[in-house]
Amino acid sequence: MFSLYDETKLKAFLLEHGHKNFRYAQIEHAIYKDLACDFDAMTTIPKELRELLKTACYFTSLKIKSSVTSDDGQTTKFLLETHDGRFLESVIMRHLSGRNTLCVSCQVGCPMACSFCATGKLGLTRNLDFTEIVEQMMIAVHHLAKEDKKLRNVVYMGMGEPFLNYENVKRSIEIACGQKKLDLSSRRITVSTCGIVPGIQKIAEDFPQVSLAISLHAPTDEARRAIMPVEQTYPLDRLMEALDEYVAKTNKRIFYEYIMINGLTDRPEYAKALADLLHGRLAHVNFIPYNPGEGSSDSPMQPTSKIMIKKFQDALEAAGVPSTIRHTMGDDIDAACGQLALKEQEGK
Ligand code: SAH
């Protein structure tokens, strides 16, 4: 059996069974434009072909185990189970401005082991296939359609490190942005990385319009190494060199994610170091208050206070580096940054 979202396999199957090319176009239209949820809803194709498809391919392999919506109604977190009994999560964020964003996972767990991240504590179980990433998008598209809403943005900021699963992430972006497919603007796709240099180089070639976010979180090698093991493989000077090349090639502003952890990443000298690092670079900093998540009371890490974040931001502003303080969404349902941790998986 293969996924309907796998164009290559579907085309080969149709050809093998003597169907003309236009049948593929009809199926594609039924999936992505008419939003058919099963084969019987594909009324534009003959019944015999629908029956044949049922024997060879599937619409969706991910099962929705639960979907929880935050009290304010803005955030919905899906817990999804894969065909091999693994769990992953994706999150819809309905912004008040009307844009709807989906945060997708690209791996089950994550191998990067950042000290502040709940997903990082799980380790890596496996990469997701591109069809499993697309399925997350289709689940969100169908869910939003019921509310008469559309998906506008996709951020690769769920579980996993996108640049350690590059080919599948790439194929999923092609489907998200394909005109005959989900037809999202590539500017509205954001891929976030903890700083895997070869991935940064590849995405500049493959998708110069896609937005890039870097989980920087600390402005010096030493401070970064203390919380992000990736620093040992790709130290700051190598990362910044790759990012300068990225900007030269794409002319795109890079988003730097900076986590604010009390006493750890928010020291006044780091504000100066961050300003020095980004001054003169095409950059925008997003401050993310640390989300303690479950068991926060015994966590040694605590978020920085709003006032302190503002002070940090002022130092950047003085150096001409633009920034935003991210407001946390979905923390009451453990859907905020770094909280995707899968109680189910841990219990296995
Ligand atoms: N591996 C990629 C994609 C994950 S994106 C990356 O590192 O960019 C998830 C974002 O949430 C990252 O910026 C991550 O560093 C951040 N994050 C992780 N744990 C967090 C926490 N407890 N509080 C706030 N942000 C967190």
Side-chain angles (χ1 to χ4, degrees), residues 306-339:
K306 283 231 168 72
I307 299 171
M308 290 300 288
I309 300 181
K310 189 78 192 56
K311 272 200 180 152
F312 212 90
Q313 187 180 33
D314 289 345
L316 277 197
E317 201 181 310
V321 179
S323 67
T324 310
I325 302 174
R326 276 251 212 103
H327 107 106
T328 305
M329 289 177 86
D331 50 347
D332 58 331
I333 55 168
D334 277 351
C337 295
Q339 288 184 315

Side-chain angles (χ1 to χ4, degrees), residues 21-289:
N21 280 341
F22 75 93
R23 289 292 179 213
Y24 173 76
Q26 284 180 320
I27 295 169
E28 190 174 51
H29 196 277
I31 302 171
Y32 298 107
K33 307 295 176 191
D34 300 338
L35 301 185
C37 339
D38 57 39
F39 291 102
D40 293 323
M42 293 183 162
T43 47
T44 49
I45 61 169
K47 187 147 192 323
E48 309 82 76
L49 178 53
R50 292 197 314 249
E51 294 304 323
L52 179 69
L53 289 173
K54 282 184 200 171
T55 64
C57 49
Y58 54 84
F59 253 92
T60 175
S61 64
L62 297 179
K63 277 196 220 109
I64 304 178
K65 295 301 280 184
S66 67
S67 70
V68 197
T69 298
S70 58
D71 290 342
D72 60 13
Q74 279 185 270
T75 310
T76 302
K77 179 169 83 166
F78 295 94
L79 172 66
L80 306 168
E81 185 177 0
T82 63
H83 65 89
D84 55 350
R86 310 296 182 184
F87 292 91
L88 60 117
E89 291 174 332
S90 58
V91 182
I92 295 177
M93 288 163 281
R94 303 169 188 81
H95 294 273
L96 295 174
S97 60
R99 81 192 138 92
N100 301 303
T101 301
L102 177 70
C103 179
V104 291
S105 293
C106 61
Q107 295 182 316
V108 179
C110 182
M112 301 315 302
C114 300
S115 65
F116 45 82
C117 178
T119 310
K121 302 215 167 25
L122 299 172
L124 175 71
T125 303
R126 71 165 170 87
N127 279 337
L128 291 180
D129 184 65
F130 74 96
T131 57
E132 293 174 308
I133 303 175
V134 173
E135 282 186 30
Q136 295 173 61
M137 296 178 197
M138 295 310 291
I139 287 169
V141 164
H142 285 279
H143 191 90
L144 286 167
K146 283 189 214 138
E147 302 168 10
D148 228 2
K149 292 191 168 82
K150 278 197 163 147
L151 179 63
R152 202 186 89 142
N153 298 60
V154 174
V155 297
Y156 288 73
M157 295 188 181
M159 309 178 78
E161 169 49 49
F163 289 164
L164 292 183
N165 187 15
Y166 191 84
E167 280 310 308
N168 284 303
V169 165
K170 179 179 172 189
R171 293 183 75 179
S172 69
I173 295 175
E174 283 163 358
I175 294 176
C177 299
Q179 250 185 26
K180 292 182 173 165
K181 297 193 162 65
L182 279 177
D183 199 18
L184 304 184
S185 156
S186 46
R187 291 164 199 278
R188 291 173 177 169
I189 307 281
T190 303
V191 177
S192 181
T193 178
C194 62
I196 308 284
V197 165
I200 295 168
Q201 292 162 336
K202 277 192 254 176
I203 203 156
E205 287 293 326
D206 292 336
F207 303 108
Q209 306 274 16
V210 161
S211 299
L212 181 65
I214 302 295
S215 295
L216 187 69
H217 300 328
T220 66
D221 275 326
E222 204 190 344
R224 211 166 178 256
R225 201 171 309 134
I227 51 175
M228 300 178 74
V230 67
E231 234 289 319
Q232 287 159 31
T233 319
Y234 301 110
L236 209 49
D237 55 348
R238 251 194 99 192
L239 176 60
M240 297 316 293
E241 195 188 346
L243 294 175
D244 289 343
E245 280 167 20
Y246 173 92
V247 172
K249 232 177 221 158
T250 64
N251 202 26
K252 273 189 76 91
R253 188 177 295 275
I254 292 174
F255 296 95
Y256 290 88
E257 312 291 309
Y258 194 98
I259 190 168
M260 292 302 271
I261 309 173
N262 186 28
L264 200 59
T265 61
D266 63 355
R267 297 190 201 156
E269 66 266 30
Y270 289 166
K272 165 108 184 39
L274 184 62
D276 289 348
L277 183 70
L278 298 182
H279 175 78
R281 290 188 148 109
L282 203 51
H284 186 102
V285 176
N286 285 319
F287 290 108
I288 320 175

